[in-house]
Amino acid sequence: MKTVSRRQALALGIAGTGAVAVGGGGLLLARSPFRPKAGGRLNEPENLSSQKRELKLRLEAAPAQIMVAGRVASVAAYNSSLPGPTLRLHAGDRLRVTLVNRLDVATNLHVHGLHVSPAGNGDNSFLRVEPGESFDYEYDLPANHPTGTFWYHPHHHGSVADQVAAGLYGAIIVEDLEGLPITRERLLLISDISLTGSGSLRPPSAAEQMMGREGETVLVNGQVRPVLSAISGDRERWRVINACPARYLRLRLEGSRHQVLALDGRSLGVPAQVEEVRLAPGNRADLLVEAVKGKSILRAAPFNRGSMPGMMGGAMPPRNGPVDLLSLDTSGAPLSDLPPVPPTGRPRDLRKEAVAARRRLNFSMGMGMGSGMSPAGMEFTINGKEFDAGRIDEIVSVGSVEEWTLTNSSPMDHPMHLHVWPMQVIQDSGQSIPGTTWQDVVNIPARGEVKVLVSFDDFPGRTVFHCHILDHEDLGMMGVIEAR
Ligand code: C2O
Ligand code: CU
Ligand code: CU
C-alpha cells in the first residue's frame, strides 16, 4: 500500500528511488540516515532588488540537485536555490513574476503577508499552473504598504506541504524608508527537511501528515548550524522567517541581547525586550541583536503543540529536543549598553475603531464519515466544513472592521492565517493583549480561543484563510473569504 504523499512525492519527481523502502503499513525505512554537515559561514540567497519602481523576474520551480545541509540532495527549488532568491521591494512598487513550472505536478505562487489584491493575476491562490506551463503574476504594492519581512511559497491546494517541504520558498523584503541605526542586516530563513542517506526526500507517513510533518533536519538558509561573526558593539537586524510546514520555533538567543522590532512585517512601534520569540509556521520576526560578548547560540526550544484527537494519555510530549540553529561569534572587548533605537512610529490600533460585524470560526479535527481527504478518514474542518474552492464561506465589506473569535475544539494547536489582511490580536484565552500586536498567522491554542480585529482595507476579491500547518491546509482546514 502506498501512501498518498508517496505518490505525490513521486509526482514531484523528487522522491528517492531505491533509497526508501515502503513497508506494508506505509512504514518507511531508509537504508542509512542522512548525515548533515554542520557549521560554515552563513550564506544568503541572491538578492533581487526593484529598480525604477519595478522588480521583474523569472522564477522556475524545478527538481534540483543542490547542496543542502552541506551535502548534495535531490530537492525542489526556485531557480536552483534553496531558499529561492530574496525579492527586495519598496512600498508602491510593482512586482512581476513569471512562474515557470518544471515540476511534474501543478503549482502556483503565493506572496505570504503582502497586502496586495487577491484578484486576477495578483495574489490569487485559486490559480493553477500545470507542469510545463508558466504564468505571469503581477502585484502592485500600495504606496502605504508596511515595510518588513514577508515570504513566498506555492499554494496549490493538496500539495502545499509537499512542495514547501521539498524546498520551495523564499523571502520578500519591503525595505524601510529610513534606515535603522544598525551595522548590518541578515536573512535567516528557517525550514526543515527529511532526507534519506542518499539525499532524497523522505515522504511523511499518514500519521506525520495528520500531526503535521516536522522535518528531521532544521535548516537556516539551507545550512545546518552556520556561524555568524560580529564585532563587539555591532547591532544587527535579523529577519527570521519560519518556513517549516508544521514546526513551531521558540527562539532564544543565548548569550546576547535581542529585541523584537516587528512581527509578520508589522513594526511594533517601540522595540520590545523579550526572553523568547515564538514563531508558528508562517510567522516572521525582525530582531535587533546586540553583539556584546563571546559566543551566542540561537536555539529553538521544544514546543508542545498537542496531540491527535482520540489519542489516549492527553498531550503528546514534544518529539524533539532543543535545536541549535546557529552561533554568533563576537570578537573584541565586551561593551556596555548601546544607545536605544528610536521608535518607528505608532501602529494602528483597531480597538479605537467601530466594529461592523463579528464572526466565529471554529477549527476542529475528528473522525468523520470520511470524505477521503485524509489518509485515515480524519476530517480537518473550519466551522464543520472542509475546503471547497467553489464555495464562499465568509463575505465581508471592503472598508469595514470586524472582530473574529477564533476557537479550537481540537487537542492540537492550529496557527490560523488570513491572506491579504493582517489581524490585530486583542485577546488570547480570555486575557487581553497589551500593546498593539499585528500578525498574519495567529496561533489558536488547543481547546483555546483567540480574538482578533481585521480591517478589510482595499481589494475586493476572493481569497482564503487556513491553518498554516500545511498538511492540515492540504487536508481541508481552509475556507474562502470574499470582500465586496
Ligand atoms: Cu503562507 Cu496561505 O499561506
Ligand atoms: Cu499567506
Ligand atoms: Cu492545523
Side-chain angles (χ1 to χ4, degrees), residues 380 412-415 467-469 472 477:
F380 291 78
M412 190 191 295
D413 287 21
H414 298 289
C467 177
H468 216 288
I469 289 179
H472 293 177
M477 201 173 250

Side-chain angles (χ1 to χ4, degrees), residues 160-311:
V160 181
D162 282 339
Q163 294 187 11
V164 171
L168 293 164
Y169 37 72
I172 301 175
I173 289 166
V174 182
E175 312 255 23
D176 291 330
L177 303 177
E178 310 125 45
L180 281 170
I182 52 170
T183 324
R184 64 178 299 167
E185 76 165 62
R186 312 204 194 234
L187 173 72
L188 304 173
L189 193 150
I190 301 173
S191 60
D192 59 15
I193 195 164
S194 288
L195 295 165
T196 66
S198 60
S200 305
L201 291 163
R202 182 181 69 74
S205 65
E208 284 177 300
Q209 279 181 287
M210 285 186 290
M211 198 58 208
R213 70 186 78 181
E214 294 194 12
E216 289 152 348
T217 307
V218 183
L219 304 171
V220 180
N221 296 352
Q223 297 167 273
V224 171
R225 290 197 301 284
V227 181
L228 282 60
S229 50
I231 296 166
S232 189
D234 280 355
R235 181 144 58 184
E236 303 192 346
R237 176 195 198 138
W238 291 6
R239 298 177 180 271
V240 188
I241 301 176
N242 184 358
C244 301
R247 181 188 293 268
Y248 285 62
L249 300 167
R250 282 173 59 200
L251 299 177
R252 280 165 179 265
L253 182 61
E254 294 176 6
S256 280
R257 279 193 297 264
H258 65 287
Q259 291 170 287
V260 183
L261 290 170
L263 284 178
D264 288 356
R266 266 87 191 171
S267 164
L268 300 187
V270 181
Q273 199 84 50
V274 291
E275 283 289 292
E276 181 180 298
V277 189
R278 191 190 64 197
L279 300 183
N283 280 144
R284 290 87 63 209
D286 284 37
L287 305 179
L288 190 69
V289 173
E290 293 181 355
V292 284
K293 58 166 190 220
K295 187 181 174 104
S296 320
I297 306 273
L298 182 66
R299 191 165 280 153
F303 178 71
N304 184 350
R305 54 191 178 86
S307 61
M308 298 283 292
M311 254 183 45

Side-chain angles (χ1 to χ4, degrees), residues 110-114 123 125 151 153 155 284 417-420 440-441 464 466 468:
H110 170 50
V111 287
H112 180 130
L114 289 189
D123 188 23
S125 302
W151 64 299
H153 62 80
H155 217 288
R284 290 87 63 209
H417 173 49
L418 171 63
H419 286 204
V420 183
D440 56 44
V441 178
V464 292
H466 58 88
H468 216 288

Side-chain angles (χ1 to χ4, degrees), residues 417-438:
H417 173 49
L418 171 63
H419 286 204
V420 183
W421 304 281
M423 299 171 274
Q424 183 186 350
V425 190
I426 56 166
Q427 210 184 82
D428 189 342
S429 312
Q431 300 279 102
S432 54
I433 305 281
T436 320
T437 307
W438 287 85

